Amino acid sequence: MNMQSMWEDSKIAEHPPFPNVSESKIKENVLPQLNQWALVNGLVMQPTGSKSNDSRVAPVTLYPTPIPRTLYNEAKDLQKHYNKLYASIARNDGNWLSNEISKINDANFTKKLYEMYKRVESKQAIKLGVFRSDYLVTKDSKEIKQVEFNTISVSFGGLSTKAGEMHNFLNQVGSYMDDSDSFYDVRELPNSESSVFLTRGIANALAVYQPDPANSKKKENTLVAFIVEPNEVNIFDQKLIEFNLLRLYGIQCIRLTFDEVATKLEYSKDGNKRLILKGSGKEIGLVYYRTGYTETDYHNESHWKAREFLEASYAIKAPDLSIQLSGAKKVQQLLTDDKILSKFVDDASIRKSLRKTFVKIYPLDESELGKQGRKLAMETPEKFVLKPQREGGNHNIYKSDIPKYLSEIKKEDWNDYILMELIDAKENTENYIVRDNELIKEPIISELGIYGCILFDNQNIHSNEFSGSLLRSKIVSSNEGGVMAGHAALDSMCLV
Amino acid sequence: MNMQSMWEDSKIAEHPPFPNVSESKIKENVLPQLNQWALVNGLVMQPTGSKSNDSRVAPVTLYPTPIPRTLYNEAKDLQKHYNKLYASIARNDGNWLSNEISKINDANFTKKLYEMYKRVESKQAIKLGVFRSDYLVTKDSKEIKQVEFNTISVSFGGLSTKAGEMHNFLNQVGSYMDDSDSFYDVRELPNSESSVFLTRGIANALAVYQPDPANSKKKENTLVAFIVEPNEVNIFDQKLIEFNLLRLYGIQCIRLTFDEVATKLEYSKDGNKRLILKGSGKEIGLVYYRTGYTETDYHNESHWKAREFLEASYAIKAPDLSIQLSGAKKVQQLLTDDKILSKFVDDASIRKSLRKTFVKIYPLDESELGKQGRKLAMETPEKFVLKPQREGGNHNIYKSDIPKYLSEIKKEDWNDYILMELIDAKENTENYIVRDNELIKEPIISELGIYGCILFDNQNIHSNEFSGSLLRSKIVSSNEGGVMAGHAALDSMCLV
Ligand SMILES: Nc1ncnc2c1ncn2[C@@H]1O[C@H](COP(=O)(O)OP(=O)(O)OP(=O)(O)O)[C@@H](O)[C@H]1O
Ligand SMILES: Nc1ncnc2c1ncn2[C@@H]1O[C@H](COP(=O)(O)OP(=O)(O)OP(=O)(O)O)[C@@H](O)[C@H]1O
Ligand SMILES: [Mg+2]
Ligand SMILES: [Mg+2]
Ligand SMILES: [Mg+2]
Ligand SMILES: [Mg+2]
């Protein structure tokens, strides 16, 4: 019997959506197991102010959260199409992307990115998109709706795998049952392959990079540079990818802050702007950003210079500015117009599948739709979230805060925002968030993230892959729910 | 070309015994790499007083320490003979063990163990020895000399593997060189397989255990019980074995303190004294001690009762009392008498190899040798260490402290001690100990531990294996150098 038929033939045991373990058993038996597994296996973070030789268990849910198998498969199947769509946008054919981004006023961030984009020509034609498309499952559990599409510094690909393994472990050792048996059939708990698949995405890119043939250092010595913040709470999520690059592909990585980019890197002497690590003479083949996605990541002008230095280089960028700009919330709004979507996606049935995941998003400009948006923002704000062109959380304006907020900014800046319908998401009340060793039982909403990697240039797509998944659960009462901020937790799926 | 000939044909690059990295580079580049690797991969401990969701990097050396390949191979090859020797002693043929142990007065510990041993008959004939034979390399690097042979609760089998992997990682990413290349050839840095081999030793034992055929719970549900201290700094060393049992063999484990043994376990109703986990009805096939080796592990009489309850049971014990008693320092002393060694080892050439690792050990009794020992203890104490029948460190009396110590105890208790020649061990001055993120550069001495597992009963040896290695390095100025106490660190070998 092959695996497929095994799957179909056996019936997965029926059980309630969540285990029902008493709080006293959780505290006595389950939390120690959870903590010990997490601390040995790297499901950890480094809270601000803690010592560099200490770690703490990352916020996680106690149980996996049920997600309909069909919806997970739908999101998974869509990923290659989404990857391709955003790659097409990044190519800036007919200057569509430049035109749209040029309309944004935001002088502190988007404008700066855009001007650098216009100014700088990269020596490298190939670029890597490492994406994550985020969805919420609707209240009726029948649909997934896209929250946003991230094109830079997508996080939790490392820890997501660990969270799933941890839930699997607790299930296997009987922590979810009173009699120490398993609660879930293993087939309900898929491995999240993100920590391996994202690694592969990066390795695929480095494999096409052409190091200087004149250089005595061999191709195997070409490095990946992680561009990072100096004090990163979520550092171990990044290290998991870094360690996997070494373990699975023999690829060495170096972590550099923007400050270090300035002091430790130089261009090759041949005019080709190869990125060279001073001293060792080693070549950096790929620049992978885990910072640089928001205004405050650039602490001063020299950080902007460092970005430009990297952007112009021969290294493959993940992402370059064109990819980063394609992830603007404004682009997401524009794509809800089928005329625009058609520019990038020929196939009507693919367009249909993509559109199925959209909710209504309005501009707030002088167009007809913009006027409609302005009206809705003022009259029924509780149905909406207002989003600026920003990434990384804590920038959005929710519901009743919207009218006041809009009235306080200049009207010519309204176009910098999009007005997005709130997704009425499925809530669960039986899971726990475990944070700082405390059990939090509040209604949660789970956001499904699908990772994807696409390697492309203006002519070709070199590879295009689904790269694993993430489930994060946030407390309903928190609008955003950052994991490292403590309002959300890493979760994993129980497929139902 | 096969691996063997590859090995012989290629020359391992010559280099100094230790890398020479500047302290500023160590602090800036190497310590962050070391800490991050350790925290993600479980090379950690849980210091007293820290929270159960926090961990800290375990004390480790910065570099691997050179060990002559021939000496490592010698120790490795001896392990099966040592395993067999101690198994033979534990069989108590001709009451040799009982006779010798009965002469020890030590009312607080050895006597209690011995009386329980006489009193209790185990329902289980098969027993598992999980051993570690410890050696020092002599100053001239030509010999290994045995420090002691441990027969209960041998630790660091989990973390030893991690320490080696960590050194390997640092070497691979170029932390040991200025130009970010490797300092060592990988073939110089053997993997310590202890975390996998000790797991196999335990799994082999569980595989021969016969669970109650009448019990509906299947054989796959037979558990291993780790008997542990309630607050264990070195918990993750144990968890690594536990996780490997599950990952590699699907074997589930339960951690129990002596208090919990009393409340959570019961004998089967059939009179066979099968160990049953109350509630679940699951059977415990193997009891693995990570406590119980010293007086203070038994906090009160009920802990002694718990030990007896386990000892009498049908579960396989690792170790049972006969094995534990065989590890008495007294036995080690007696084996230095070739007449006694011949009782247990027929083969003269094996005896010769074993004896090669012995240093002089004297009793302090009324025998001729004992009188010699008494004289030496008083006249040249600086050449000796005085050891009571104890395990776990901090019980020995060193050098000039010996005469005063002996003069203060009753003469009839002198027989409870052995007087052992101090091994003049090889010192290294170029390695660092990294503890609490601080660099300690003092002369160190490295102790090589060889693990072994032997499964046996009075008739047969079911399996007998070498189970990996450990290198621990202590600061010379500390007599003992406990790793968790902070005077020593986990190390790994560079074979030279
Ligand atoms: N349309 C929506 N309906 C319901 N909730 C939403 C919606 N849009 C955003 N949210 C909530 O707000 C959070 C943050 O929004 P969004 O992801 O768009 O912002 P961001 O700044 O790009 O954050 P990040 O990139 O860090 O995820 C989401 O994770 C989700 O919980
Ligand atoms: N003969 C010796 N020569 C040199 N050093 C010795 C000798 N015997 C013991 N030591 C040192 O003292 C330490 C403790 O001794 P030993 O291992 O015999 O005690 P223990 O109480 O059994 O400790 P443990 O079981 O925790 O290792 C050794 O690790 C070694 O550093
Ligand atoms: Mg988001
Ligand atoms: Mg985002
Ligand atoms: Mg010892
Ligand atoms: Mg000992």
Side-chain angles (χ1 to χ4, degrees):
Chain A
M1 185 160 37
N2 66 25
M3 288 307 285
Q4 187 60 28
S5 58
M6 238 180 75
W7 178 278
E8 280 156 12
D9 289 0
S10 348
K11 237 189 107 171
I12 292 176
E14 297 210 347
H15 55 69
F18 291 95
N20 185 10
V21 183
S22 70
E23 290 215 1
S24 68
K25 181 181 166 182
I26 295 172
K27 284 182 185 151
E28 239 181 81
N29 294 349
V30 189
L31 285 193
Q33 288 279 25
L34 184 157
N35 285 330
Q36 289 154 12
W37 192 95
L39 292 169
V40 168
N41 292 286
L43 178 50
V44 291
M45 61 173 183
Q46 199 154 57
T48 317
S50 66
K51 293 167 71 185
S52 56
N53 58 327
D54 283 359
S55 76
R56 175 164 303 169
V57 177
V60 283
T61 59
L62 186 67
Y63 309 127
T65 292
I67 296 289
R69 191 183 290 273
T70 50
L71 296 185
Y72 166 62
N73 284 335
E74 182 186 335
K76 193 173 157 177
D77 293 344
L78 276 179
Q79 191 58 32
K80 285 190 180 189
H81 302 308
Y82 266 122
N83 292 344
K84 219 175 139 192
L85 165 60
Y86 277 85
S88 303
I89 296 168
R91 281 174 177 159
N92 196 26
D93 290 335
N95 287 323
W96 183 85
L97 180 65
S98 317
N99 278 338
E100 293 302 337
I101 297 293
S102 71
K103 295 176 199 160
I104 294 165
N105 290 331
D106 176 19
N108 290 331
F109 194 60
T110 312
K111 204 146 219 93
K112 289 183 104 160
L113 291 178
Y114 173 65
E115 272 159 12
M116 195 190 294
Y117 171 61
K118 280 196 303 182
R119 189 169 58 238
V120 176
E121 207 185 335
S122 169
K123 284 276 181 185
Q124 179 60 257
I126 298 177
K127 29 195 156 185
L128 175 65
V130 179
F131 297 149
R132 200 187 65 221
S133 185
D134 290 334
Y135 305 91
L136 291 170
V137 174
T138 54
K139 199 146 246 160
D140 59 7
S141 293
K142 289 200 171 133
E143 287 180 296
I144 44 168
K145 291 294 178 188
Q146 189 179 50
V147 175
E148 61 154 345
F149 192 86
N150 293 289
T151 63
I152 181 167
S153 191
V154 300
S155 56
F156 299 123
L159 292 182
S160 170
T161 301
K162 296 289 179 179
E165 287 173 1
M166 186 273 287
H167 286 147
N168 245 299
F169 168 78
L170 291 180
N171 181 53
Q172 229 186 321
V173 300
S175 290
Y176 294 152
M177 292 282 269
D178 277 335
D179 66 352
S180 82
D181 278 333
S182 293
F183 179 83
Y184 302 99
D185 184 297
V186 284
R187 292 165 298 171
E188 297 174 278
L189 306 180
N191 285 332
S192 159
E193 311 100 330
S194 49
S195 75
V196 169
F197 284 0
L198 289 175
T199 303
R200 183 170 69 190
I202 292 170
N204 282 347
L206 200 67
V208 306
Y209 179 83
Q210 301 287 341
D212 186 354
N215 196 317
S216 68
K217 302 278 171 189
K218 282 190 250 71
K219 175 154 180 165
E220 296 86 71
N221 271 328
T222 308
L223 307 179
V224 171
F226 283 51
I227 311 300
V228 299
E229 283 297 298
N231 298 301
E232 173 61 80
V233 176
N234 196 23
I235 179 170
F236 302 119
D237 181 50
Q238 302 170 3
K239 293 301 285 191
L240 286 163
I241 308 283
E242 192 184 316
F243 295 150
N244 276 344
L245 279 164
L246 186 70
R247 190 172 58 89
L248 302 172
Y249 299 93
I251 294 172
Q252 285 196 31
C253 301
I254 179 166
R255 293 173 66 79
L256 298 169
T257 61
F258 278 131
D259 279 332
E260 289 167 331
V261 165
T263 57
K264 298 196 172 172
L265 301 187
E266 62 191 3
Y267 286 148
S268 57
K269 307 276 176 280
D270 59 6
N272 288 330
K273 297 193 176 167
R274 291 173 181 280
L275 271 190
I276 307 292
L277 190 60
K278 284 185 201 167
S280 81
K282 289 198 177 177
E283 198 167 333
I284 288 165
L286 189 135
V287 172
Y288 173 49
Y289 287 96
R290 291 299 295 257
T291 185
Y293 50 84
T294 197
E295 174 186 354
T296 48
D297 291 348
Y298 301 84
H299 305 182
N300 52 49
E301 273 310 305
S302 75
H303 288 190
W304 283 101
K305 287 233 174 68
R307 175 73 194 262
E308 187 158 339
F309 173 82
L310 297 172
E311 188 70 16
S313 78
Y314 184 68
I316 297 174
K317 269 76 69 180
D320 76 341
L321 283 166
S322 73
I323 296 177
Q324 180 173 2
L325 287 168
S326 304
K329 302 284 194 284
K330 184 71 199 170
V331 170
Q332 190 188 2
Q333 175 253 305
L334 289 164
L335 292 175
T336 62
D337 178 345
D338 201 43
K339 279 214 302 295
I340 294 176
L341 189 61
S342 316
K343 285 184 199 291
F344 303 106
V345 184
D346 291 337
D347 186 318
S349 78
I350 295 173
R351 279 207 306 280
K352 199 177 156 203
S353 328
L354 294 169
R355 288 171 59 83
K356 239 189 109 192
T357 67
F358 296 172
V359 294
K360 285 233 169 77
I361 311 182
Y362 299 88
L364 296 173
D365 57 15
E366 301 285 349
S367 70
E368 264 322 296
L369 198 65
K371 283 180 191 153
Q372 228 177 298
R374 290 173 178 205
K375 195 159 177 264
L376 289 166
M378 295 305 176
E379 289 178 2
T380 54
E382 59 290 339
K383 291 188 175 161
F384 294 97
V385 48
L386 181 71
K387 300 189 180 182
Q389 309 306 312
R390 281 293 191 287
E391 284 304 323
N394 278 317
H395 302 291
N396 299 342
I397 299 97
Y398 291 88
K399 304 182 191 177
S400 57
D401 293 342
I402 298 174
K404 181 157 182 290
Y405 184 88
L406 283 177
S407 71
E408 286 172 358
I409 60 170
K410 281 183 274 172
K411 257 208 164 145
E412 56 266 40
D413 290 339
W414 282 23
N415 182 49
D416 286 13
Y417 295 81
I418 64 166
L419 186 75
M420 183 177 191
E421 235 178 42
L422 281 168
I423 302 157
D424 195 15
K426 165 90 179 158
E427 294 178 13
N428 285 299
T429 55
E430 288 171 78
N431 209 340
Y432 291 84
I433 284 178
V434 182
R435 195 195 61 207
D436 272 342
N437 227 10
E438 272 173 39
L439 285 174
I440 301 164
K441 192 173 192 177
E442 286 193 41
I444 56 166
I445 283 177
S446 303
E447 192 168 328
L448 173 64
I450 304 290
Y451 297 96
C453 291
I454 185 162
L455 186 68
F456 64 103
D457 56 32
N458 281 342
Q459 286 73 47
N460 301 302
I461 290 174
H462 302 278
S463 69
N464 180 10
E465 294 183 333
F466 157 78
S467 305
S469 62
L470 165 72
L471 201 68
R472 270 176 309 172
S473 293
K474 70 158 191 177
I475 295 167
V476 169
S477 57
S478 151
N479 277 324
E480 301 231 338
V483 171
M484 292 298 147
H487 306 294
L490 295 156
D491 199 342
S492 77
M493 291 180 281
C494 160
L495 291 182
V496 292
Chain B
M1 185 159 35
N2 65 25
M3 287 307 285
Q4 186 59 29
S5 59
M6 238 181 75
W7 178 278
E8 280 156 12
D9 289 359
S10 347
K11 235 189 111 170
I12 290 176
E14 296 209 350
H15 56 68
F18 291 95
N20 184 11
V21 183
S22 70
E23 289 216 2
S24 68
K25 183 183 165 181
I26 295 172
K27 285 183 183 148
E28 240 180 80
N29 294 349
V30 189
L31 286 192
Q33 288 279 24
L34 185 157
N35 284 330
Q36 289 154 13
W37 192 94
L39 292 169
V40 168
N41 292 285
L43 177 50
V44 290
M45 62 173 182
Q46 199 153 57
T48 317
S50 67
K51 292 167 72 184
S52 56
N53 58 327
D54 282 359
S55 76
R56 175 164 302 170
V57 177
V60 283
T61 60
L62 185 66
Y63 308 127
T65 291
I67 296 288
R69 191 182 290 273
T70 51
L71 297 184
Y72 167 62
N73 283 336
E74 182 186 334
K76 193 173 157 177
D77 292 344
L78 277 179
Q79 192 58 32
K80 284 190 182 190
H81 302 307
Y82 266 120
N83 292 344
K84 218 175 139 193
L85 166 59
Y86 277 86
S88 302
I89 297 168
R91 281 174 177 158
N92 197 26
D93 290 335
N95 286 323
W96 184 84
L97 180 66
S98 317
N99 278 338
E100 294 302 337
I101 297 293
S102 70
K103 294 176 199 160
I104 293 166
N105 289 331
D106 178 18
N108 290 330
F109 194 60
T110 312
K111 202 146 222 95
K112 290 183 103 158
L113 291 178
Y114 174 64
E115 272 159 12
M116 195 190 294
Y117 171 60
K118 280 196 303 184
R119 187 169 60 238
V120 176
E121 208 185 334
S122 169
K123 283 276 180 184
Q124 178 60 258
I126 297 177
K127 32 195 156 187
L128 175 66
V130 179
F131 297 149
R132 199 188 65 221
S133 185
D134 289 334
Y135 305 92
L136 291 171
V137 174
T138 54
K139 199 147 245 158
D140 59 9
S141 292
K142 289 201 173 135
E143 287 180 296
I144 44 167
K145 291 294 178 188
Q146 189 179 50
V147 174
E148 62 154 344
F149 192 86
N150 293 290
T151 62
I152 180 167
S153 191
V154 301
S155 56
F156 298 123
L159 292 182
S160 171
T161 302
K162 296 290 179 178
E165 287 173 0
M166 186 273 288
H167 285 147
N168 245 298
F169 168 78
L170 291 180
N171 182 52
Q172 230 187 322
V173 299
S175 291
Y176 293 152
M177 294 283 268
D178 276 336
D179 66 353
S180 83
D181 278 333
S182 292
F183 179 83
Y184 301 99
D185 185 297
V186 284
R187 292 164 299 172
E188 297 174 278
L189 306 181
N191 284 332
S192 159
E193 311 100 330
S194 49
S195 74
V196 168
F197 284 1
L198 290 175
T199 303
R200 182 169 70 190
I202 292 171
N204 282 347
L206 200 67
V208 305
Y209 179 84
Q210 301 286 342
D212 186 354
N215 195 320
S216 68
K217 301 277 173 192
K218 283 189 248 72
K219 175 155 180 163
E220 296 88 69
N221 271 328
T222 308
L223 306 178
V224 171
F226 283 51
I227 312 299
V228 298
E229 283 297 298
N231 298 302
E232 174 61 81
V233 175
N234 196 23
I235 179 170
F236 302 119
D237 181 50
Q238 302 170 3
K239 293 301 286 190
L240 285 164
I241 307 284
E242 192 184 316
F243 294 150
N244 275 344
L245 279 164
L246 186 71
R247 189 170 59 89
L248 302 172
Y249 299 93
I251 293 172
Q252 284 196 31
C253 301
I254 179 167
R255 293 173 65 81
L256 296 170
T257 62
F258 278 131
D259 279 332
E260 289 166 332
V261 166
T263 56
K264 298 197 171 171
L265 301 187
E266 62 190 3
Y267 287 147
S268 56
K269 307 277 178 275
D270 59 7
N272 288 329
K273 297 192 176 168
R274 291 172 182 279
L275 272 190
I276 307 292
L277 189 60
K278 284 184 200 167
S280 81
K282 290 196 176 177
E283 198 167 331
I284 288 165
L286 189 135
V287 172
Y288 173 49
Y289 288 97
R290 291 300 294 257
T291 185
Y293 51 84
T294 198
E295 173 185 356
T296 46
D297 292 348
Y298 301 84
H299 306 183
N300 52 49
E301 273 309 306
S302 75
H303 288 190
W304 283 102
K305 288 231 173 69
R307 175 72 193 262
E308 187 159 339
F309 174 82
L310 297 172
E311 188 70 16
S313 78
Y314 184 67
I316 297 174
K317 269 76 68 180
D320 77 341
L321 282 167
S322 74
I323 296 176
Q324 181 172 2
L325 287 169
S326 304
K329 302 283 193 283
K330 184 71 199 172
V331 170
Q332 190 189 2
Q333 175 253 305
L334 289 164
L335 292 175
T336 62
D337 178 344
D338 200 44
K339 280 216 301 294
I340 294 176
L341 189 60
S342 316
K343 285 185 199 292
F344 303 105
V345 184
D346 292 336
D347 186 317
S349 77
I350 294 173
R351 278 206 307 279
K352 198 174 156 204
S353 328
L354 293 169
R355 286 171 61 84
K356 237 188 109 191
T357 66
F358 295 172
V359 293
K360 286 234 168 76
I361 312 182
Y362 299 88
L364 295 174
D365 57 15
E366 301 284 349
S367 70
E368 265 321 294
L369 198 66
K371 283 181 191 150
Q372 229 178 301
R374 289 173 177 204
K375 194 158 177 268
L376 289 166
M378 293 305 176
E379 290 177 0
T380 53
E382 58 290 340
K383 291 189 176 158
F384 294 97
V385 49
L386 182 71
K387 298 189 181 183
Q389 309 306 311
R390 281 292 192 287
E391 285 304 323
N394 278 318
H395 301 292
N396 299 342
I397 300 97
Y398 291 87
K399 304 181 190 176
S400 57
D401 294 342
I402 299 174
K404 182 159 182 288
Y405 184 89
L406 283 177
S407 72
E408 285 172 0
I409 61 170
K410 282 184 275 174
K411 258 211 161 138
E412 57 266 40
D413 289 341
W414 283 21
N415 183 48
D416 286 14
Y417 295 80
I418 64 166
L419 186 75
M420 183 176 191
E421 235 178 43
L422 281 169
I423 303 157
D424 195 15
K426 164 91 179 157
E427 293 179 15
N428 285 299
T429 55
E430 288 171 77
N431 208 340
Y432 291 83
I433 285 178
V434 181
R435 195 195 62 208
D436 272 343
N437 227 11
E438 273 174 40
L439 284 174
I440 302 164
K441 191 172 192 177
E442 287 194 39
I444 57 166
I445 283 176
S446 303
E447 192 168 327
L448 173 65
I450 304 289
Y451 297 96
C453 291
I454 184 162
L455 187 67
F456 64 103
D457 56 31
N458 281 342
Q459 286 72 47
N460 301 301
I461 290 174
H462 300 279
S463 68
N464 179 11
E465 294 184 332
F466 157 78
S467 305
S469 62
L470 165 71
L471 200 69
R472 271 175 308 172
S473 293
K474 70 159 190 178
I475 295 167
V476 169
S477 57
S478 151
N479 277 323
E480 301 231 337
V483 171
M484 291 298 146
H487 306 294
L490 295 156
D491 199 342
S492 77
M493 291 180 281
C494 161
L495 291 181
V496 291

